[in-house]
């Protein structure tokens, strides 16, 4: 007899692996071991199973090669992103296509702005509690986006004080609840980017999106020279 508790634990661990890959990918086995608190053998087993299922795919890991097994970094496939999504993509796409046919592009734009306004309203207080520092507000945005299911993370980029490089924070979203709809309706991404600018009080720049086939949504958040990026 199969123990249902064992099956449930396996499923939960699989979801944890998917979530970390979505948030930090491309990510190697060593990092997954650290994040998940599992043995390397267990992590490799889960990753291999996810690969067979078509939910993750390997890329050559950056950095020096070591002897033995070639180093690989893992990212989610389209199927992996769908496995994390709870949205009704087909229904949402159908509804937006109907809206565009009957109300035109302006109706789609109005919907995108209305949708992101709800997100902005829900998380504004969290950012306000972080004060005026852009980097701290970005950290607060990461926390709020994770609560909304976006698998967000942030890291500092650039060298403070350098004259030739921009300094700021790179905001990444490894999962987007409306990824597949946004590939057809970029208004959703554009409205979200504008909301981030308003929430953070600076003009942010979207560098990559899941909707365009990138493995993560990446947004550059500039920080004033008087600030030091957190982390």
């Amino acid at each position: 007899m199969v123990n249902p508790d064992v099956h449930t634990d396996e499923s939960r661990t699989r979801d944890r692996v998917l979530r970390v890959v979505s948030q930090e990918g491309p990510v190697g086995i060593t990092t997954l071991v650290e994040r998940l608190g599992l043995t390397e053998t267990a992590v490799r087993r889960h990753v291999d199973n996810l690969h067979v299922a078509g939910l993750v795919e390997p890329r050559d890991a950056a950095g020096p090669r070591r002897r033995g097994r070639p180093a690989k970094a893992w990212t989610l496939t389209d199927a992996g992103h769908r496995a994390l999504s709870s949205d009704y993509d087909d229904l949402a796409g159908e509804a937006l296509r109907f809206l565009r046919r009957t109300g035109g592009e302006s109706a789609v734009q109005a919907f995108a702005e209305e949708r992101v306004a709800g997100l902005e309203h829900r998380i504004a207080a969290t950012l306000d509690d972080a004060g005026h520092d852009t980097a701290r507000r970005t950290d607060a945005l990461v926390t709020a986006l994770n609560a909304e299911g976006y698998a967000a993370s942030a890291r500092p980029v650039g060298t403070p004080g350098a004259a030739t490089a921009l300094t700021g924070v790179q905001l990444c979203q490894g999962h987007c609840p409306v990824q597949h709809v946004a590939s057809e309706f970029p208004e959703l991404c554009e409205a979200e980017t504008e909301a981030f600018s308003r929430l953070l009080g600076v003009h942010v720049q979207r560098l990559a999106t899941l909707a365009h086939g990138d493995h993560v949504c990446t947004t550059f958040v500039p920080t004033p020279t008087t600030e030091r990026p957190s982390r």
Side-chain angles (χ1 to χ4, degrees):
M1 178 181 295
V2 177
N3 187 337
D5 292 335
V6 172
H7 177 75
T8 299
D9 289 342
E10 287 286 303
S11 178
R12 288 174 178 170
T13 303
R14 186 204 76 153
D15 289 345
R16 288 176 61 208
V17 174
L18 278 177
R19 183 66 63 182
V20 174
V21 174
S22 76
Q23 184 170 352
E24 302 194 26
V27 60
I29 294 295
T30 299
T31 301
L32 287 172
V33 169
E34 294 172 354
R35 299 290 187 271
L36 297 166
L38 301 173
T39 65
E40 181 175 338
T41 299
V43 169
R44 287 192 182 279
R45 175 170 58 82
H46 282 290
V47 169
D48 286 344
N49 289 338
L50 291 169
H51 186 209
V52 170
L55 301 180
V56 300
E57 60 186 1
R59 296 188 179 186
D60 290 335
R65 295 282 184 107
R66 296 183 179 180
R67 291 183 179 180
R69 188 189 303 225
K72 291 189 181 298
W74 296 89
T75 63
L76 293 190
T77 63
D78 284 344
H81 284 292
R82 287 195 297 271
L84 285 176
S85 177
S86 60
D87 289 77
Y88 297 97
D89 288 343
D90 290 341
L91 179 61
E94 184 179 343
L96 282 171
R97 284 188 287 273
F98 173 80
L99 190 62
R100 183 166 57 190
R101 287 196 307 271
T102 57
E105 298 294 342
S106 61
V108 174
Q109 182 65 39
F111 172 82
E113 293 173 356
E114 178 70 17
R115 176 184 176 275
V116 82
L119 171 69
E120 193 172 350
H121 177 74
R122 290 193 300 274
I123 68 178
T126 299
L127 272 71
D128 289 343
D129 288 342
H132 297 291
D133 181 89
T134 306
R136 289 195 177 92
R137 290 181 71 86
T138 304
D139 285 340
L141 178 59
V142 166
T143 299
L145 289 175
N146 282 330
E148 297 280 338
Y150 285 80
S153 62
R155 66 180 181 87
V157 292
T159 303
T164 58
L166 289 174
T167 300
V169 179
Q170 184 168 284
L171 170 66
C172 295
Q173 297 159 256
H175 175 62
C176 173
V178 295
Q179 172 190 347
H180 300 286
V181 179
S183 65
E184 184 178 350
F185 298 95
E187 293 92 342
L188 296 170
C189 294
E190 294 163 4
E192 181 182 90
T193 303
E194 292 173 2
F196 288 174
S197 290
R198 290 191 296 270
L199 287 164
L200 296 173
V202 294
H203 177 70
V204 306
Q205 183 179 5
R206 186 61 62 88
L207 304 178
T209 65
L210 288 160
H212 287 163
D214 299 294
H215 73 272
V216 65
C217 290
T218 306
T219 304
F220 177 73
V221 182
T223 53
T225 55
T226 54
E227 292 184 15
R228 295 186 57 142
S230 61
R231 300 184 199 286

